[in-house]
PDB file of all heavy atoms in Angstrom:
ATOM      1  N   LEU B 648     -44.870 -38.917  32.735  1.00  0.00           N
ATOM      2  CA  LEU B 648     -44.877 -38.294  34.056  1.00  0.00           C
ATOM      3  C   LEU B 648     -44.199 -39.197  35.080  1.00  0.00           C
ATOM      4  O   LEU B 648     -43.507 -38.725  35.985  1.00  0.00           O
ATOM      5  CB  LEU B 648     -46.316 -37.983  34.473  1.00  0.00           C
ATOM      6  CG  LEU B 648     -46.946 -36.813  33.701  1.00  0.00           C
ATOM      7  CD1 LEU B 648     -48.456 -36.797  33.880  1.00  0.00           C
ATOM      8  CD2 LEU B 648     -46.337 -35.489  34.140  1.00  0.00           C
ATOM      9  N   LEU B 649     -44.394 -40.489  34.912  1.00  0.00           N
ATOM     10  CA  LEU B 649     -43.764 -41.461  35.802  1.00  0.00           C
ATOM     11  C   LEU B 649     -42.239 -41.336  35.714  1.00  0.00           C
ATOM     12  O   LEU B 649     -41.539 -41.316  36.729  1.00  0.00           O
ATOM     13  CB  LEU B 649     -44.203 -42.867  35.381  1.00  0.00           C
ATOM     14  CG  LEU B 649     -43.908 -44.001  36.351  1.00  0.00           C
ATOM     15  CD1 LEU B 649     -44.617 -43.751  37.663  1.00  0.00           C
ATOM     16  CD2 LEU B 649     -44.379 -45.328  35.749  1.00  0.00           C
ATOM     17  N   GLU B 650     -41.772 -41.246  34.508  1.00  0.00           N
ATOM     18  CA  GLU B 650     -40.325 -41.141  34.283  1.00  0.00           C
ATOM     19  C   GLU B 650     -39.772 -39.817  34.832  1.00  0.00           C
ATOM     20  O   GLU B 650     -38.689 -39.785  35.424  1.00  0.00           O
ATOM     21  CB  GLU B 650     -40.050 -41.247  32.774  1.00  0.00           C
ATOM     22  CG  GLU B 650     -38.655 -41.764  32.448  1.00  0.00           C
ATOM     23  CD  GLU B 650     -38.528 -42.091  30.964  1.00  0.00           C
ATOM     24  OE1 GLU B 650     -39.565 -42.352  30.316  1.00  0.00           O
ATOM     25  OE2 GLU B 650     -37.382 -42.051  30.460  1.00  0.00           O
ATOM     26  N   LEU B 651     -40.547 -38.785  34.690  1.00  0.00           N
ATOM     27  CA  LEU B 651     -40.130 -37.483  35.218  1.00  0.00           C
ATOM     28  C   LEU B 651     -40.097 -37.526  36.751  1.00  0.00           C
ATOM     29  O   LEU B 651     -39.240 -36.917  37.381  1.00  0.00           O
ATOM     30  CB  LEU B 651     -41.082 -36.381  34.731  1.00  0.00           C
ATOM     31  CG  LEU B 651     -40.984 -36.042  33.243  1.00  0.00           C
ATOM     32  CD1 LEU B 651     -42.144 -35.143  32.814  1.00  0.00           C
ATOM     33  CD2 LEU B 651     -39.647 -35.371  32.924  1.00  0.00           C
ATOM     34  N   ARG B 652     -41.051 -38.265  37.331  1.00  0.00           N
ATOM     35  CA  ARG B 652     -41.077 -38.401  38.785  1.00  0.00           C
ATOM     36  C   ARG B 652     -39.862 -39.180  39.275  1.00  0.00           C
ATOM     37  O   ARG B 652     -39.190 -38.791  40.228  1.00  0.00           O
ATOM     38  CB  ARG B 652     -42.364 -39.108  39.219  1.00  0.00           C
ATOM     39  CG  ARG B 652     -42.646 -38.957  40.703  1.00  0.00           C
ATOM     40  CD  ARG B 652     -43.400 -40.136  41.249  1.00  0.00           C
ATOM     41  NE  ARG B 652     -42.677 -41.379  40.957  1.00  0.00           N
ATOM     42  CZ  ARG B 652     -43.030 -42.576  41.401  1.00  0.00           C
ATOM     43  NH1 ARG B 652     -44.112 -42.708  42.117  1.00  0.00           N
ATOM     44  NH2 ARG B 652     -42.312 -43.643  41.113  1.00  0.00           N
ATOM     45  N   LYS B 653     -39.582 -40.280  38.576  1.00  0.00           N
ATOM     46  CA  LYS B 653     -38.439 -41.102  38.972  1.00  0.00           C
ATOM     47  C   LYS B 653     -37.136 -40.332  38.871  1.00  0.00           C
ATOM     48  O   LYS B 653     -36.145 -40.663  39.527  1.00  0.00           O
ATOM     49  CB  LYS B 653     -38.375 -42.372  38.117  1.00  0.00           C
ATOM     50  CG  LYS B 653     -39.433 -43.386  38.510  1.00  0.00           C
ATOM     51  CD  LYS B 653     -39.384 -44.649  37.665  1.00  0.00           C
ATOM     52  CE  LYS B 653     -40.427 -45.644  38.169  1.00  0.00           C
ATOM     53  NZ  LYS B 653     -40.634 -46.775  37.225  1.00  0.00           N
ATOM     54  N   ASN B 654     -37.127 -39.314  38.048  1.00  0.00           N
ATOM     55  CA  ASN B 654     -35.938 -38.484  37.901  1.00  0.00           C
ATOM     56  C   ASN B 654     -35.999 -37.212  38.743  1.00  0.00           C
ATOM     57  O   ASN B 654     -35.182 -36.302  38.569  1.00  0.00           O
ATOM     58  CB  ASN B 654     -35.714 -38.149  36.427  1.00  0.00           C
ATOM     59  CG  ASN B 654     -35.082 -39.313  35.681  1.00  0.00           C
ATOM     60  OD1 ASN B 654     -33.880 -39.481  35.683  1.00  0.00           O
ATOM     61  ND2 ASN B 654     -35.913 -40.153  35.082  1.00  0.00           N
ATOM     62  N   GLY B 655     -36.987 -37.147  39.630  1.00  0.00           N
ATOM     63  CA  GLY B 655     -37.007 -36.069  40.622  1.00  0.00           C
ATOM     64  C   GLY B 655     -37.483 -34.717  40.133  1.00  0.00           C
ATOM     65  O   GLY B 655     -37.307 -33.715  40.816  1.00  0.00           O
ATOM     66  N   LEU B 656     -38.110 -34.657  38.974  1.00  0.00           N
ATOM     67  CA  LEU B 656     -38.591 -33.364  38.484  1.00  0.00           C
ATOM     68  C   LEU B 656     -40.056 -33.118  38.846  1.00  0.00           C
ATOM     69  O   LEU B 656     -40.528 -31.992  38.821  1.00  0.00           O
ATOM     70  CB  LEU B 656     -38.428 -33.252  36.963  1.00  0.00           C
ATOM     71  CG  LEU B 656     -37.016 -33.296  36.417  1.00  0.00           C
ATOM     72  CD1 LEU B 656     -36.985 -32.779  34.988  1.00  0.00           C
ATOM     73  CD2 LEU B 656     -36.074 -32.472  37.283  1.00  0.00           C
ATOM     74  N   VAL B 657     -40.755 -34.195  39.182  1.00  0.00           N
ATOM     75  CA  VAL B 657     -42.181 -34.107  39.432  1.00  0.00           C
ATOM     76  C   VAL B 657     -42.490 -34.891  40.699  1.00  0.00           C
ATOM     77  O   VAL B 657     -41.809 -35.863  41.017  1.00  0.00           O
ATOM     78  CB  VAL B 657     -42.932 -34.705  38.203  1.00  0.00           C
ATOM     79  CG1 VAL B 657     -44.237 -35.330  38.597  1.00  0.00           C
ATOM     80  CG2 VAL B 657     -43.127 -33.650  37.128  1.00  0.00           C
ATOM     81  N   LYS B 671     -39.796 -29.157  42.154  1.00  0.00           N
ATOM     82  CA  LYS B 671     -38.863 -28.058  42.462  1.00  0.00           C
ATOM     83  C   LYS B 671     -39.407 -26.770  41.855  1.00  0.00           C
ATOM     84  O   LYS B 671     -40.279 -26.816  40.991  1.00  0.00           O
ATOM     85  CB  LYS B 671     -37.485 -28.354  41.862  1.00  0.00           C
ATOM     86  CG  LYS B 671     -36.883 -29.686  42.278  1.00  0.00           C
ATOM     87  CD  LYS B 671     -35.409 -29.804  41.853  1.00  0.00           C
ATOM     88  CE  LYS B 671     -35.248 -29.818  40.340  1.00  0.00           C
ATOM     89  NZ  LYS B 671     -33.829 -29.930  39.946  1.00  0.00           N
ATOM     90  N   GLN B 680     -32.624 -30.360  31.085  1.00  0.00           N
ATOM     91  CA  GLN B 680     -32.821 -31.488  32.003  1.00  0.00           C
ATOM     92  C   GLN B 680     -33.910 -32.421  31.501  1.00  0.00           C
ATOM     93  O   GLN B 680     -33.764 -33.650  31.515  1.00  0.00           O
ATOM     94  CB  GLN B 680     -33.229 -30.970  33.390  1.00  0.00           C
ATOM     95  CG  GLN B 680     -32.147 -30.229  34.151  1.00  0.00           C
ATOM     96  CD  GLN B 680     -32.710 -29.504  35.392  1.00  0.00           C
ATOM     97  OE1 GLN B 680     -33.593 -30.022  36.067  1.00  0.00           O
ATOM     98  NE2 GLN B 680     -32.212 -28.315  35.664  1.00  0.00           N
ATOM     99  N   ILE B 684     -33.489 -36.403  30.037  1.00  0.00           N
ATOM    100  CA  ILE B 684     -34.178 -37.540  30.654  1.00  0.00           C
ATOM    101  C   ILE B 684     -34.943 -38.339  29.594  1.00  0.00           C
ATOM    102  O   ILE B 684     -34.903 -39.562  29.572  1.00  0.00           O
ATOM    103  CB  ILE B 684     -35.143 -37.055  31.761  1.00  0.00           C
ATOM    104  CG1 ILE B 684     -34.345 -36.560  32.965  1.00  0.00           C
ATOM    105  CG2 ILE B 684     -36.098 -38.168  32.165  1.00  0.00           C
ATOM    106  CD1 ILE B 684     -35.180 -35.830  34.001  1.00  0.00           C
ATOM    107  N   MET B 685     -35.615 -37.658  28.716  1.00  0.00           N
ATOM    108  CA  MET B 685     -36.476 -38.351  27.756  1.00  0.00           C
ATOM    109  C   MET B 685     -35.701 -38.908  26.559  1.00  0.00           C
ATOM    110  O   MET B 685     -35.966 -40.019  26.115  1.00  0.00           O
ATOM    111  CB  MET B 685     -37.566 -37.399  27.250  1.00  0.00           C
ATOM    112  CG  MET B 685     -38.406 -36.744  28.343  1.00  0.00           C
ATOM    113  SD  MET B 685     -39.044 -37.865  29.629  1.00  0.00           S
ATOM    114  CE  MET B 685     -40.209 -38.836  28.696  1.00  0.00           C
TER     115      MET B 685
END
Side-chain angles (χ1 to χ4, degrees):
Chain B
L648 288 165
L649 193 61
E650 206 170 336
L651 290 169
R652 195 210 55 174
K653 286 180 177 168
N654 281 275
L656 297 196
V657 149
K671 305 190 295 180
Q680 291 169 38
I684 289 169
M685 305 312 292

